[in-house]
Amino acid sequence: MTTSPQTATAVACANIAFIKYWGQSDSGLTLPTNGSISMNLDGCLTETTVRCDPELERDQVWLALHGGEEMPASGRPYERVMAQINRLRALAGSSMPVEIRSRNNFPSDAGIASSAAAFAALTRAAVAAFQLEVNERELSRLTRLSGSGSACRSIPSGFVEWYNDGTDQGSYAEQIAPSSHWALVDIVAVVNTQAKHVSSTHGHDLAPTSAYFPARLSEVPARLIEVRRAISACDLERLGLAAEADAMSMHVVAMTAKPPTMYWQPATLSVIQAVQRWRAQDNLQSYWTIDAGPNVHVICEAKDAPEVEARLCELSAVQWTIANGPGHEARLVG
Ligand code: DP6
């Protein structure tokens, strides 16, 4: 246990799931009902500095969201950050107050996995500041416990699978292919930057109230195999069709939960239809997926990315785009 001041800064990427985490078997331990597979996004980043210092009067959390001004965090964001800090501080046997400063470069709470990048960067930096010795698997497990389960997939680099055997020790994420394996691009078509009206946390709770939830779960194991094979073979059509089917099934569960949640907006549907049209009419290979929000992630190969991005920008539904290649692991930068 250290009592001298320590500072660490980490950068982590958001990630996009091709097979979604939707529903939990244990909300206290953030255990998912099914395994999931994602790619880190190299253009959607959070940088977080954790300073432990016995001279600090109290814990402080400062957030600068989407490149904006730094503000003190309060309410639920503050509580979520401090719950993770308290867990790690206890593990380190420390009682030092902390100052946390975090900034991201993309919209928060709008289906671009902002909390995944945030909790991966926070956990990476805090583990270093508290001088905890952990390997990547343990770091991913500790990140999962933050409550933002998908954040555990932002710890390894590139293409990542979150394994799920229903136990705390067996629920962590691991790389299945490095970022250099495939020049895949995820273009986020931003149609709305307002925070979603139903959080993912609440969405996970509601999932079992949908009659379609068991049907979704019965399909996921075969889709996980399909996506693993597609990534291994760099087969975009195979990956894209499985990712679209999985996103559709997640949103059917959300839309048929009690009460129902509709994350899509008219602009969301117009992007989906444009992607389908480009594929059918022009053989432009791109596929869509959507997290818990209205924005659409369009997946294509790097060679087609300029054309896909230009076409997305021409749609009146799209405000702007963020193009991402496969991103790096959550890493220390200071
Ligand atoms: C739809 O509980 O990880 O993005 O805490 O809001 O980041 P946040 O969400 P989390 O649920 C993520 C749900 C999802 C699908 C996915 O990323 O697998």
Side-chain angles (χ1 to χ4, degrees):
M1 181 182 69
T2 174
T3 48
S4 56
Q6 299 289 340
T7 300
T9 300
V11 174
C13 303
N15 67 72
I16 181 64
F18 304 131
I19 301 295
K20 311 286 185 194
Y21 149 48
W22 199 244
Q24 296 171 326
S25 62
D26 185 324
S27 57
L29 288 172
T30 319
L31 293 176
T33 327
N34 61 274
S36 52
I37 297 181
S38 59
M39 178 181 105
N40 283 356
L41 304 179
D42 71 356
C44 294
L45 303 171
T46 296
E47 180 177 298
T48 301
T49 298
V50 175
R51 179 163 76 95
C52 315
D53 190 339
E55 302 291 312
L56 286 166
E57 276 180 15
R58 57 182 169 78
D59 294 324
Q60 298 170 36
V61 181
W62 297 84
L63 302 178
L65 299 178
H66 197 191
E69 222 177 285
E70 197 171 67
M71 309 276 274
S74 58
R76 190 168 138 77
Y78 177 85
E79 282 158 23
R80 285 184 79 187
V81 168
M82 287 316 300
Q84 181 69 342
I85 288 294
N86 288 336
R87 177 176 296 110
L88 300 172
R89 186 159 46 192
L91 207 60
S94 167
S95 56
M96 270 193 282
V98 293
E99 180 193 74
I100 293 148
R101 293 185 180 272
S102 188
R103 55 180 60 248
N104 67 7
N105 66 348
F106 59 102
S108 302
D109 293 324
I112 318 180
S114 58
S115 23
F119 282 97
L122 176 74
T123 308
R124 184 70 197 88
V127 156
F130 287 126
Q131 298 186 301
L132 284 163
E133 298 274 333
V134 294
N135 59 23
E136 188 183 83
R137 178 182 296 193
E138 184 62 3
L139 183 63
S140 174
R141 189 187 73 85
L142 288 171
T143 303
R144 187 201 88 226
L145 288 170
S146 69
S148 177
S150 57
C152 77
R153 296 191 311 242
S154 286
I155 295 297
S157 74
F159 299 85
V160 173
E161 178 157 3
W162 176 4
Y163 300 114
N164 171 48
D165 70 357
T167 70
D168 180 24
Q169 291 300 324
S171 184
Y172 59 88
E174 218 167 59
Q175 179 184 96
I176 56 172
S179 51
S180 57
H181 169 72
W182 192 6
L184 199 66
V185 176
D186 173 66
I187 305 172
V188 190
V190 179
V191 302
N192 191 310
T193 54
Q194 279 172 8
K196 56 196 174 223
H197 51 289
V198 176
S199 68
S200 303
T201 310
H202 194 39
H204 296 304
D205 288 348
L206 292 177
T209 67
S210 164
Y212 296 89
F213 189 50
R216 166 172 168 72
L217 293 178
S218 72
E219 289 176 347
V220 166
R223 274 206 292 265
L224 283 167
I225 294 171
E226 188 69 2
V227 165
R228 269 183 228 127
R229 286 187 179 153
I231 291 174
S232 159
C234 300
D235 183 337
L236 178 63
E237 185 179 14
R238 199 166 184 180
L239 173 72
L241 291 176
E244 287 187 354
D246 195 73
M248 190 75 95
S249 121
M250 178 209 122
H251 284 274
V252 163
V253 169
M255 288 175 200
T256 52
K258 297 177 186 70
T261 306
M262 171 66 94
Y263 289 109
W264 297 10
Q265 292 178 359
T268 312
L269 193 55
S270 69
V271 177
I272 293 175
Q273 287 176 328
V275 168
Q276 287 172 337
R277 201 169 53 240
W278 301 335
R279 226 158 60 208
Q281 290 176 5
D282 311 327
N283 194 28
L284 182 61
Q285 291 301 303
S286 59
Y287 296 83
W288 60 270
T289 183
I290 304 169
D291 277 350
N295 298 313
V296 185
H297 293 250
V298 180
I299 303 154
C300 62
E301 287 189 319
K303 65 178 173 55
D304 292 324
E307 172 74 14
V308 173
E309 191 166 20
R311 288 190 184 208
L312 286 169
C313 289
E314 274 169 24
L315 298 176
S316 60
V318 175
Q319 295 182 7
W320 83 88
T321 53
I322 312 169
N324 302 272
H328 60 68
E329 75 284 7
R331 59 166 69 140
L332 290 175
V333 293

